[in-house]
Every structure is written in structure tokens, then in C-alpha cells.
Amino acid sequence: MTRLLIAFFLLFTLGNAGPTTSELAKDINLAGKQRMLIQRMSKEALMVALHVNEQEAKKDLKKDMELFSRTLQGLLQGDKELGLVPVEDQKIKEAISDLQKRWAPFKQALEKVIDGNFDKKTIEYIKKNNLDLLKRMNAIVEMYVALNKGAKIKRAQAINLAGKERMLSQKIAKDVLLVQYGYKDQAPILREDKKLFARILHGLQKGDKKLGLEETKLPWINKELHKAQKMWQEYEKLAVPKKLSKEKLRALVQKSNLLLSQMDKITKMYEKSINREKRARALSQLVSSFEKQEQEAKHIINLAGKQRMLTQRMSKLALMDALNIDKQKTQKLLKNSYQLYDKTLRGFLVGDKELQLPPAKNEVIKKEIAKVQEVWKPFKKSVEQVLASQGKDPNALAYIIADNEELLKRSNDLVQTFKKEYATHNFLEDARKEIVDIAGRQRMLTQKMTKEKMLVTLGIDPQTNWKKMVTTVELFDTSLKRLMYGDKKHYIIKPTNPKLVAQYKKVASLWQELKPLYLKKKNSPKELNRIIQKNPILLKEMDKAVKLSEVVLEY
Amino acid sequence: MRSFTALFFLMIWMLGANSLFAEKLKVNITKDLPYVDVDVWGVPVRIQRIQDTHHKLRNSYIRTSRPTPPFYIQKFQPIPGIETYGELETIYFIRDKLNSDQGLLIDGRMPQWYKQGTIPGAMNIPFSMLADKRYTEKILSLFGAQKKGDKWDFSKALTILVFDNGPWCQQAVTAIKHLVALGYPKEKIKYYRGGMQYWQIVGLTVFNPITLKEVKY
């Protein structure tokens, strides 16, 4: 039951509609990139103001403004070309809409710079408000990351911080340009930004617990991080809070752009690696849920098969009880057997936690269970009477002898229904279920032949029961050979697993000793005693073989 | 003398600095390829050949024959339109498509076998699972296909390379047949026919996806 609930939970949660892992990753990446754009636009505006690569800066600024506006809109309403899906989360929607409102006056200020229609107040506005936009954009990114709860991966922090490095590369250049513009108070901010950039870069390479970063182990990412480290060393030297020449400022801007594209490349590499891991985790969850269901099918077929054995075991034990063979032990075993049969049959219908049985949902199966119950009710009563009378109720015993085969037949019909219900329509899987069924039937045959032997010995319908016993012995014999050597007609693959082969050999060796005793017309009391003693061992060893067949897959 | 030394180092560099400083292996994959690293949950797993030239298989893959049915030999190209890969193409696929998240290597065997050892970087999708309607939709989405109404758009779907135990095993072919039936484009499906047996015959790395360790065989 618990397994089923887990499986349904997994199916429900995994099958839920909404953005796919890669779509969400794309949204997170582009939302993250917006942080960088805010800083790059501010940097470009300052380049214009300071006449550093002025024309180029104007062109880039226009492009970045368009991209920023489009991405914001895309995050809200989706953008096929950018690969963005519309956001569904109401809080994120509201935060983006709010940012759009704040972006409008900031955009106007940038436009003023492009048109050459700006003054110190405009630059002051940009200086003051770019950080507010950045803060709000960062909050949106965090909200997107939180959406990604389902497949939380510790390494995902690398995407976030490598992405942040893109922003910092631009922010540092902007800080330097602000200093050039006369804002001396920017110097400590520049120092902090440089410190943070260096720390994240180091953390990405070697790990940083406080930042939540693990050491990067993939050599191809490490190679690129190493390149970024070299670029940073050159960039860092230029990013100082001092008055710099135009030439140095141009070099600074160029290096900030190179570092940005390098960090962008690295962010994408992390993204790919983490996407792979997320996909692998999701697939493996699906496979374990599938595996549990498959195992459950085999388990049910095995238990249904065991019920057949129990019908014959109960009959055999009732006879042993009547014959006063090992009375106390026999009565105990008979009680256990009928209780187990009863519990399992009920479990098939309403489920049983202890037996790991789910409740029946299929109507065909429910009907088949009802058919078994019809015969089981009076049979159960007879077993109870045998137990209560210490084996001295001849009517109850007669009922068991007469009706056990009908109960066996109906129990077998239930096995076949389960098999049909769980059919997979592929040779290997169906073959495996067939093997579990036939090996399971062998357990029943061990009990049936003993019961028949006892009926013959007791002189109860000796001719019919002798014939029946010979048929049972032959069926056990041929089935054992099929299980050991394979049988194309019956979809039985010859076992190759050494453990299973060894187990069948063990059964065969026991059988070799018992078979002539069953087929002997008149047994001495010693021989009969041997049958009674060895029969449970044969059953136990056959049961081991069934359990092994259930789990050991042949290929 | 100085120019002679410079020329000497230049020649060495021209001869291929990479091969000079790269790790030297006794048994390589190809002349220029000693190994390939594959990203397994953020950790590189090295695929290379067993270096002991006297090594022999000891596991069940030393067997030549298995009972038929079902273990008939598969055609070189069992499904027209689906490309068959050998070991090298599989290794190149791992190097070029897996690490860049453009492809998926699928072990189509049952989970019990996958868990005992697989090709590094492979994900397990048991062949019969692809015929189970309860799972197919989610699997296709994870493969990158997008459901639009009642139809599937496979334009962004990943290229998939499927393998099983070897040329005598039907599991990968069955998996591929299921994928084709689901509408997965044939050009985006590849079949590694050699499977686990041929992979091990040439001594390539086998990886346990549960313990995340190399499997000695």
C-alpha cells in the first residue's frame, strides 16, 4: 500500500504540468543575466558621459536597453525566440510588473544620456537607482530559484554565483567609471565588489562553504575557470579607484567585456552539467517507481501461487491429524496454514500492509477472488472443525478430501487472472512471470502428492488417488526438468544464474530420493515416515527457488 | 647555440606538446585518444581501457551462447533509419553530446542489471517501461520533447543512444521500437549494438551508478 502511494505520489508530482527543467533553467539564466545588464547599461552610460568609446558605448547601450525590456516582458508573457515561458507564480509576476514600472524612468535617464541631453543629476539618478533595480532583479532571480524545489541540487549555487560574476564584472567597471566621474564615495564599494568577485571565483574553483559552493571537479569547467582567473588578474590591476587615462579606461572596459563573456561561458557549462544531473535524478525516480510496481506484480503472483500450495498442505495436514502423526506439530501447522490462506485471500481484496498487498481495483480480479471465497468459506469451516475436534470429525475431514481440489482449481484460476492482468507483452518479462508461476506450482505439487499418497495408504478411493498421485508426480518431474533445462513451448528460459542453478540442483537431488518412494505401491512405515519428514524440506527448497526466480533476472 | 636550443624546443612543441605532457597509457582508445572523461553528477568519470594486456573477462559476458528464444542475434541495423554505433562512435557520443547536454545515453536493460554496472554516464530506462503509458509522457518530456495539445514536438528533443547486453540481446531494439512507436524521430535515435559485452571485450570502463565507483571485471 505504502509503495503504491509513493508510486502515485511520484507520478503525480513528476507528471505535473508547468515549465520543464530546461525551460525553468532558461528563465533563471535570463533573469540572472538581467542583473548583469543593469550594471552594463550603467557602465555604458558612464562611458558616454566620460567620452570613453562614446559611439560604441551608445550603440551597445541601446541594444542592452532593448534586450532588458524584451527579457522583462518575455519573463512575464513568454518569448519563443528567447526560449522563455510565461511565469505562472503570482508573486514573481507582481515583482516583475513592479520592476517594469521602476525600469521606465531609469530607461528615460539612459535615453537622455544617449541623446546627449543629460546633466550631473541624470548621472546621479543612474548611480542611485541602478542598485535599487539590481536588488529587485536579484530578488526575482531568488524567487525563480525557489520555484525549482523539486530537484534541489547543491551544485546549483554555482550557476547562480557564476552568473553573479557576470554582473560583478560590469559593476566593477561601472564603479571605476563613477570614481572617474568624481564620485569618490564609490571607492569602498569598488573594493568590496572586487573582493566579492575574487572570492566567488576562488570558491567556484576550490569550494566555499559559506557561499554554499562546492569545489568544481569537471576538468573542462576548471580549465575555463583558470582562464577566467588569469583574465581577472589583469582586469583587477586596472580596476583601481584612481584617475585613469582614456587609454587605460578603454583597456578596462575591454577587459570587463572579455571577463563577462568568459563568465557567461562558464555559467552555461554549469547549467548544462546541472541540467544533466536534474534529468538523471528525475529519470531515476521514475525508474524506481516502475521497478516497485514490477516487483509488486511478481510478489502478488508468488503469493497467489503459494495459496495453491496451502490448499494441498491443509488437506495433507488434516489427514496427518486424523492419523495422529506428530499431532501437536500437525495441528499447529494446520492452524497456521489456514490462517495464512485466509489472510492472503482477504489481502488480495482489501490490501494487507504486512503482506505488502495493495487492494484490488480491477473488477475482473475482484470477481475471481469472490469465486475463491465461495469455496473457501465452507472449506475454512471444515478445517476449523477438524482443529476443534482434534481430527475426530469424519464429516469435516470428508469435506476437505472431497473439496480441496475445487479450492485448488479456483486458487489456480486466480493466479492465471493475476498473470493476465500483469502481462507485459514482452517475451522476457512474461517468461519471468511464467517461471515464477511454474516454480510456485511445484510447491503445491509437493503437498498434493503427499496428500494423495496418504489417501492411498488410508485406502480412501485408492485407485483414483493412485492415478492422481502418479499424474502429480509426473507433472512435478517434468516441470522441474523444464525449470532446470528450459522449455521453448512454455516460455521457460534455461537458468544461467549460478545461485538459481545450484538451488534447482538441490531440489533435484531431494526429488531423486523421494520420487521412487512415492511411486512404490506399498511402502514400509519407515518409508512413509521418510516421505513425511522429507516433504517439508522439498517444499522449503522449492520455495527458495521460487523466491530466487522472483529476483534473479535471466538475460 | 641559443638559437639551436630555441629551435629544438620549437620542434618539440610542433611534434605535439599535448601528447608529450598528457598522461601516457599503455592501452589507448585510439592513437590520439587515451581516454574520455564523462560528467556524472558533476564528477568526472574516466573512460579508458584496462591497461593489463593479459586481462581476460571473468564475468558472465565470457559466454558465447544463450538459449533461444529470446536470445537471437540482432541485425546490424534492426530498424531502418536508425543508425548503428560501434564502440568509437559511442565514445565520441559520450564526449561530444553527453557532456554538453545534447544527448542521452540510455541503458535499456532492467534496473537490476544496470545497478551492477553500466557505461559511465548512462541513464537507465528499462525497455518495457517505454511501453507503459503511465510513464511515457514524463519520459518524453525529460528527453526534451514538448507536448502541444495531443501531439508531441520533437524539435528540441535530445539525441538518444540506446544499448543493452550485446548483439544477442533484444532489449535495446525493443526499447527503440517503443520510442519509434511513440513518434520519436528516427534520426534522433542511435543503437549501440555491441552493448555491455563488446564494451567489456575491448576493456572499457564499467561504472556502478549506485556506489559511483568503477566496476572491476
Side-chain angles (χ1 to χ4, degrees):
Chain A
M1 183 65 186
T2 322
R3 283 178 179 182
L4 262 191
L5 283 175
I6 292 169
F8 285 125
F9 170 75
L10 281 174
L11 277 178
F12 176 74
T13 48
L14 291 170
N16 233 349
T20 63
T21 311
S22 59
E23 281 168 347
L24 195 56
K26 188 86 189 171
D27 282 7
I28 295 173
N29 180 24
L30 289 193
K33 215 169 176 174
Q34 292 287 83
R35 298 179 297 197
M36 177 279 290
L37 281 176
I38 295 165
Q39 294 310 297
R40 194 159 75 180
M41 287 185 288
S42 311
K43 177 194 85 177
E44 285 155 352
L46 283 161
M47 283 168 72
V48 176
L50 290 162
H51 309 292
V52 179
N53 293 350
E54 198 177 340
Q55 290 312 312
E56 212 179 306
K58 277 186 182 177
K59 232 165 94 184
D60 291 342
L61 181 54
K62 268 187 196 170
K63 265 193 209 165
D64 285 348
M65 284 161 68
E66 268 170 38
L67 181 61
F68 187 85
S69 295
R70 186 177 169 179
T71 308
L72 268 191
Q73 194 62 19
L75 287 168
L76 264 184
Q77 291 172 342
D79 189 317
K80 259 191 176 180
E81 225 173 294
L82 292 178
L84 291 170
V85 287
V87 65
E88 285 168 10
D89 185 275
Q90 197 51 36
K91 275 190 180 169
I92 304 182
K93 260 187 198 174
E94 282 166 17
I96 297 173
S97 300
D98 178 59
L99 190 70
Q100 269 183 328
K101 279 178 203 153
R102 290 167 194 273
W103 161 239
F106 193 82
K107 192 182 166 198
Q108 276 173 7
L110 294 175
E111 274 162 354
K112 276 186 188 173
V113 175
I114 293 172
D115 297 341
N117 184 22
F118 68 97
D119 52 18
K120 202 155 184 211
K121 271 189 181 171
T122 319
I123 301 299
E124 179 73 32
Y125 179 86
I126 293 171
K127 177 185 179 274
K128 205 178 153 194
N129 286 283
N130 80 86
L131 293 179
D132 179 57
L133 284 184
L134 177 64
K135 199 177 131 193
R136 288 172 194 277
M137 196 63 234
N138 197 44
I140 293 171
V141 177
E142 299 292 334
M143 283 157 100
Y144 267 110
V145 172
L147 271 191
N148 215 0
K149 274 181 219 155
K152 219 168 199 177
I153 292 174
K154 218 176 158 194
R155 283 198 303 137
Q157 177 71 341
I159 303 182
N160 183 22
L161 292 187
K164 197 169 182 174
E165 292 283 75
R166 298 180 298 198
M167 178 277 288
L168 282 171
S169 72
Q170 300 309 292
K171 192 167 185 274
I172 289 165
K174 180 206 77 182
D175 293 340
V176 175
L177 291 170
L178 277 171
V179 172
Q180 307 303 305
Y181 203 79
Y183 290 107
K184 297 252 163 63
D185 59 340
Q186 203 65 26
I189 298 172
L190 170 64
R191 267 195 295 276
E192 283 306 306
D193 286 342
K194 280 174 71 177
K195 223 166 118 183
L196 182 58
F197 187 98
R199 183 173 172 189
I200 293 175
L201 192 56
H202 182 266
L204 288 169
Q205 292 174 87
K206 304 285 175 200
D208 186 318
K209 268 191 179 175
K210 279 190 181 166
L211 288 178
L213 284 172
E214 283 185 349
E215 178 192 349
T216 301
K217 289 177 182 144
L218 296 173
W220 48 93
I221 301 186
N222 268 328
K223 197 177 150 193
E224 296 305 324
L225 282 169
H226 189 67
K227 274 189 201 168
Q229 184 70 42
K230 278 193 169 175
M231 287 176 174
W232 167 242
Q233 277 161 4
E234 287 176 23
Y235 180 48
E236 185 191 31
K237 280 178 205 158
L238 288 168
V240 285
K242 280 182 192 167
K243 196 84 185 154
L244 297 171
S245 66
K246 282 267 164 65
E247 200 184 323
K248 281 198 171 170
L249 284 176
R250 274 191 210 106
L252 172 94
V253 169
Q254 192 209 10
K255 289 196 189 305
S256 80
N257 290 340
L258 285 174
L259 193 56
L260 166 65
S261 53
Q262 181 64 13
M263 286 318 299
D264 195 44
K265 188 177 175 184
I266 292 167
T267 309
K268 280 177 186 151
M269 288 172 113
Y270 278 119
E271 209 178 271
K272 280 174 181 167
S273 171
I274 287 158
N275 270 350
R276 245 180 78 71
E277 183 175 340
K278 281 182 185 167
R279 190 179 295 112
R281 283 183 191 275
L283 279 172
S284 116
Q285 268 186 322
L286 272 185
V287 173
S288 13
S289 134
F290 170 77
E291 210 181 346
K292 273 176 195 162
Q293 279 175 349
E294 283 288 290
Q295 211 50 49
E296 195 176 81
K298 280 184 205 147
H299 176 65
I300 291 173
I301 292 170
N302 177 24
L303 284 193
K306 210 169 176 179
Q307 293 286 84
R308 294 180 300 202
M309 179 276 288
L310 287 174
T311 65
Q312 297 311 294
R313 196 182 192 196
M314 284 185 279
S315 315
K316 179 194 84 176
L317 290 166
L319 279 168
M320 282 170 70
D321 191 34
L323 289 168
N324 292 322
I325 300 171
D326 220 345
K327 192 91 180 163
Q328 224 178 347
K329 196 181 166 191
T330 304
Q331 284 240 332
K332 198 181 163 195
L333 284 173
L334 182 56
K335 197 178 169 190
N336 289 347
S337 300
Y338 106 86
Q339 281 174 342
L340 181 60
Y341 188 94
D342 198 49
K343 183 177 166 67
T344 311
L345 189 61
R346 208 177 324 114
F348 285 146
L349 192 67
V350 295
D352 188 301
K353 215 176 174 183
E354 204 185 337
L355 294 173
Q356 294 181 329
L357 284 172
K361 282 182 184 150
N362 186 306
E363 286 307 315
V364 181
I365 289 177
K366 279 184 188 172
K367 268 187 194 169
E368 211 57 50
I369 295 171
K371 280 186 195 169
V372 184
Q373 276 173 331
E374 217 175 80
V375 186
W376 170 237
K377 270 183 194 168
F379 194 92
K380 182 184 165 188
K381 211 176 163 188
S382 302
V383 175
E384 281 167 346
Q385 277 164 357
V386 165
L387 282 168
S389 67
Q390 297 278 315
K392 281 167 192 153
D393 185 336
N395 292 335
L397 186 64
Y399 189 88
I400 291 172
I401 292 166
D403 277 49
N404 76 83
E405 291 199 11
E406 184 56 26
L407 184 63
L408 170 64
K409 189 194 162 289
R410 295 204 186 188
S411 301
N412 188 49
D413 288 347
L414 185 60
V415 177
Q416 303 316 317
T417 312
F418 275 129
K419 258 169 68 185
K420 216 171 155 188
E421 181 58 24
Y422 292 115
T424 52
H425 306 296
N426 79 69
F427 183 93
L428 280 179
E429 278 305 285
D430 288 346
R432 280 180 200 119
K433 281 172 192 149
E434 188 72 17
I435 291 166
V436 172
D437 176 25
I438 293 179
R441 191 179 65 189
Q442 292 289 82
R443 296 179 299 199
M444 175 276 287
L445 294 175
T446 62
Q447 302 308 293
K448 192 170 182 270
M449 65 178 84
T450 313
K451 174 202 79 183
E452 285 155 353
K453 184 78 188 171
M454 290 177 83
L455 286 170
V456 174
T457 313
L458 284 168
I460 302 169
D461 204 353
Q463 274 182 328
T464 319
N465 281 316
W466 174 260
K467 267 187 194 170
K468 277 185 183 174
M469 191 203 67
V470 172
T471 313
T472 311
V473 165
E474 273 169 9
L475 185 58
F476 185 90
D477 204 48
T478 48
S479 298
L480 186 60
K481 279 176 190 152
R482 276 179 193 155
L483 289 168
M484 289 181 82
Y485 307 112
D487 185 336
K488 285 175 201 173
K489 272 188 191 170
H490 293 85
Y491 296 95
I492 298 173
I493 304 163
K494 186 181 172 184
T496 54
N497 180 281
K499 277 187 190 170
L500 189 56
V501 171
Q503 187 57 34
Y504 278 139
K505 276 187 185 164
K506 213 170 180 181
V507 174
S509 130
L510 270 167
W511 177 236
Q512 240 179 348
E513 189 191 335
L514 282 173
K515 188 183 164 186
L517 295 179
Y518 279 105
L519 293 177
K520 199 173 174 185
K521 285 265 179 182
K522 268 197 172 178
N523 297 97
S524 65
K526 203 180 164 188
E527 285 169 338
L528 280 174
N529 204 26
R530 193 152 191 78
I531 287 177
I532 288 163
Q533 270 183 353
K534 290 268 175 169
N535 174 268
I537 303 170
L538 184 66
L539 171 64
K540 196 177 142 198
E541 295 305 330
M542 200 59 231
D543 195 48
K544 275 188 193 169
V546 180
K547 280 179 183 151
L548 263 175
S549 311
E550 241 188 304
V551 287
V552 176
L553 290 171
E554 297 297 319
Y555 64 89
Chain B
M1 185 62 189
R2 212 180 277 168
S3 60
F4 176 76
T5 314
L7 188 68
F8 174 75
F9 281 109
L10 182 69
M11 276 170 68
I12 284 178
W13 180 77
M14 283 170 73
L15 279 169
N18 280 343
S19 59
L20 193 73
F21 299 113
E23 273 178 68
K24 277 202 168 179
L25 293 178
K26 196 174 167 187
V27 184
N28 293 292
I29 295 172
T30 68
K31 194 180 164 194
D32 308 311
L33 189 70
Y35 57 80
V36 159
D37 285 329
V38 59
D39 174 1
V40 180
W41 297 21
V43 178
V45 175
R46 184 148 296 179
I47 295 173
Q48 63 181 40
R49 297 177 66 190
I50 290 172
Q51 295 301 300
D52 174 7
T53 52
H54 299 289
H55 183 78
K56 284 177 184 171
L57 284 185
R58 290 186 296 263
N59 58 20
S60 60
Y61 291 108
I62 53 169
R63 287 177 70 194
T64 58
S65 308
R66 283 165 181 82
T68 54
F71 304 114
Y72 300 112
I73 296 173
Q74 300 296 325
K75 281 182 186 173
F76 180 74
Q77 196 180 20
I79 303 162
I82 286 173
E83 209 179 337
T84 300
Y85 276 9
E87 286 67 43
L88 272 187
E89 291 82 1
T90 302
I91 290 167
Y92 295 149
F93 181 89
I94 291 170
R95 184 191 62 187
D96 303 333
K97 301 278 183 189
L98 250 56
N99 290 338
S100 59
D101 198 36
Q102 292 173 55
L104 280 173
L105 180 63
I106 298 295
D107 186 336
R109 299 174 301 157
M110 296 309 285
Q112 287 88 332
W113 289 100
Y114 168 76
K115 286 173 191 169
Q116 284 175 31
T118 188
I119 297 176
M123 294 177 194
N124 181 220
I125 306 284
F127 66 102
S128 50
M129 200 175 164
L130 289 164
D132 193 327
K133 282 179 187 164
R134 291 170 297 182
Y135 298 96
T136 46
E137 195 159 308
K138 191 62 204 168
I139 293 173
L140 289 183
S141 311
L142 287 167
F143 284 1
Q146 288 171 307
K147 197 166 190 188
K148 289 180 177 168
D150 287 342
K151 289 183 179 173
W152 283 94
D153 174 4
F154 291 97
S155 57
K156 285 181 186 165
L158 299 166
T159 302
I160 285 164
L161 172 57
V162 192
F163 69 93
D164 53 22
N165 286 303
W168 44 268
C169 185
Q170 59 168 350
Q171 301 185 30
V173 178
T174 311
I176 293 171
K177 279 180 185 165
H178 290 324
L179 277 172
V180 173
L182 290 167
Y184 215 88
K186 285 185 177 178
E187 66 276 13
K188 289 193 173 186
I189 307 173
K190 316 286 169 194
Y191 168 46
Y192 170 37
R193 183 174 175 269
M196 286 311 293
Q197 188 173 39
Y198 282 26
W199 186 260
Q200 293 182 38
I201 278 175
V202 289
L204 288 160
T205 307
V206 173
F207 182 73
N208 185 313
I210 308 301
T211 61
L212 303 180
K213 281 181 184 161
E214 191 186 331
V215 176
K216 299 282 174 205
Y217 63 87

